[in-house]
Amino acid sequence: MAVSRIWLRIQKSGREVIMQPKRHVIQRPGDPYVYLWVMGEWYCYDPAMEPLGSGAMGTVYLGYRCRNGEKVAVKRVKDCYASNKMIRDRARQEASLAFRHRNLVEMIGYCEYAPYNGPIFIVSKYVSGMQADEYVKSRLENVPDKVDKICHIMYPVLDALDYVHSRGVIHRDIKPSNIMIEDESNVRLMDLGIARMNGGNQFSRYGFIGTPQYSAPEQITRNADSHEQINASTDVYALGVTFYELLTGKNPFDSPTEIQTLTKQMTEPLPDDPVIPSRLMQVLRKATEKEQGKRFQTAMEFKTAIKQAMLPQKTWWERLKELFM
């Protein structure tokens, strides 16, 4: 796409629109692009193009910064949610998370037709790569050190979680499709669209929010009177299930119906799998305990336990020497 052509389209709408737009979302007859005024700049995307992906809240498209053609990601909140105050508040919250971390996606901002209804858009930096599950299937399926390489995908995700948790944010929707392998190397945690700020329980009374195959029991049963809290251990649980799925190629709680999936999440432990070394399996079981207090309480605890489980096992002679030293 020629940047100059996009910029000319913007200029044709008049200088006063560029400098002080009356509307923050513009689409003109005969022009395939939707133009978005975000944080004092114009961005655009073509809604007819194949989306980059779709999540719980919205559909993501490839977009551009009109000034220089830089690629961005444009998430349009799904129309069925667009006039829901709770969803609009979440969209604004996601766009306002001004985090700077190499394992997270940097937000640019949002715009909307009107404050209370109509489409709302979230613009973020563009990340080129593969989802974690796709990456494992296409790059790691038959490699001899597959388990170790998947562990090294988990470490930066845990670093990103530690970062957002330290700033009072719980992700609440960790799953393989929300972990991106960028340029075959850097790992980024995506989609804070349903994240919850600690101390801000205004969203919890609306019921279950998340993806059933990865949701901790407290996400499923959470209500205004519950003593259980959505906290860092909730994300630890989801990442434990995600880790298991990347290692084995299957989700342990997936079932034909949502109610069956949620019931499994509430009652069944992770099943053994011969692909997973026994010491690492113990770590995953602790991460996915049904009772919050029995899990790792922080992302760094989980990361340390994985690293220890992956250390070479000591020989009987080394263990014997330790006893008498």
Side-chain angles (χ1 to χ4, degrees), residues 75-325:
K75 179 191 288 186
R76 175 174 175 152
V77 175
K78 291 180 179 178
D79 289 345
C80 60
Y81 299 141
S83 298
N84 183 302
K85 183 180 184 302
M86 176 189 68
I87 298 297
R88 295 184 80 85
D89 287 345
R90 282 209 184 90
R92 295 182 187 117
Q93 175 182 284
E94 178 183 8
S96 71
L97 296 176
F99 294 156
R100 300 292 184 271
H101 191 283
R102 73 186 306 269
N103 303 122
L104 291 170
V105 178
E106 185 178 335
M107 292 294 160
I108 295 173
Y110 75 95
C111 71
E112 51 195 341
Y113 275 112
Y116 307 109
N117 55 62
I120 182 169
F121 303 87
I122 302 168
V123 180
S124 64
K125 296 283 188 176
Y126 173 72
V127 176
S128 175
M130 298 176 67
Q131 295 175 356
D133 49 351
E134 295 173 350
Y135 181 83
V136 169
K137 288 176 183 176
S138 64
R139 301 287 195 273
L140 305 181
E141 194 61 39
N142 297 310
V143 300
D145 56 348
K146 175 181 175 179
V147 172
D148 186 63
K149 287 186 180 298
I150 294 174
C151 288
H152 280 84
I153 292 173
M154 291 295 102
Y155 297 150
V157 176
L158 286 159
D159 290 340
L161 274 182
D162 182 61
Y163 178 87
V164 298
H165 290 166
S166 71
R167 283 151 180 78
V169 173
I170 310 302
H171 190 287
R172 296 211 301 176
D173 197 27
I174 296 169
K175 53 190 176 184
S177 61
N178 278 339
I179 299 170
M180 186 74 76
I181 315 300
E182 180 185 26
D183 300 326
E184 298 282 337
S185 56
N186 190 43
V187 180
R188 290 188 189 267
L189 179 61
M190 313 283 286
D191 198 0
L192 287 162
I194 63 171
R196 184 182 74 85
M197 304 293 291
N198 275 348
N201 294 324
Q202 67 268 35
F203 299 145
S204 62
R205 67 179 180 272
Y206 290 91
F208 170 70
I209 295 170
T211 303
Q213 288 82 355
Y214 308 92
S215 295
E218 63 270 15
Q219 279 182 271
I220 300 166
T221 61
R222 176 72 176 155
N223 59 62
D225 301 319
S226 173
H227 69 279
E228 295 178 310
Q229 297 296 316
I230 305 296
N231 58 28
S233 73
T234 305
D235 284 344
V236 165
Y237 183 100
L239 191 58
V241 178
T242 295
F243 195 0
Y244 182 100
E245 180 173 332
L246 293 178
L247 290 166
T248 64
K250 55 183 180 292
N251 184 282
F253 302 115
D254 193 27
S255 299
T257 67
E258 183 173 298
I259 189 64
Q260 288 175 309
T261 298
L262 296 176
T263 299
K264 278 189 174 183
Q265 288 286 24
M266 296 294 298
T267 60
E268 295 187 12
L270 284 183
D272 281 325
D273 193 288
V275 170
I276 304 175
S278 59
R279 292 164 68 201
L280 184 57
M281 189 69 224
Q282 291 174 19
V283 172
L284 292 181
R285 279 217 183 85
K286 183 173 176 62
T288 57
E289 285 280 0
K290 304 306 178 184
E291 293 183 37
Q292 282 184 287
K294 293 182 178 180
R295 291 178 213 150
F296 301 110
Q297 296 302 295
T298 69
M300 287 300 97
E301 284 182 21
F302 191 8
K303 181 179 179 180
T304 299
I306 296 169
K307 287 190 168 185
Q308 289 176 344
M310 292 302 292
L311 290 173
Q313 284 192 295
K314 293 178 181 179
T315 65
W316 69 270
W317 177 244
E318 288 171 327
R319 292 196 297 270
L320 188 62
K321 282 199 298 184
E322 286 180 352
L323 289 174
F324 293 98
M325 285 183 65

Side-chain angles (χ1 to χ4, degrees), residues 24 36-43 108-111 121 123:
H24 289 184
L36 310 171
W37 180 257
V38 179
M39 298 297 289
E41 285 196 66
W42 284 108
Y43 296 83
I108 295 173
Y110 75 95
C111 71
F121 303 87
V123 180

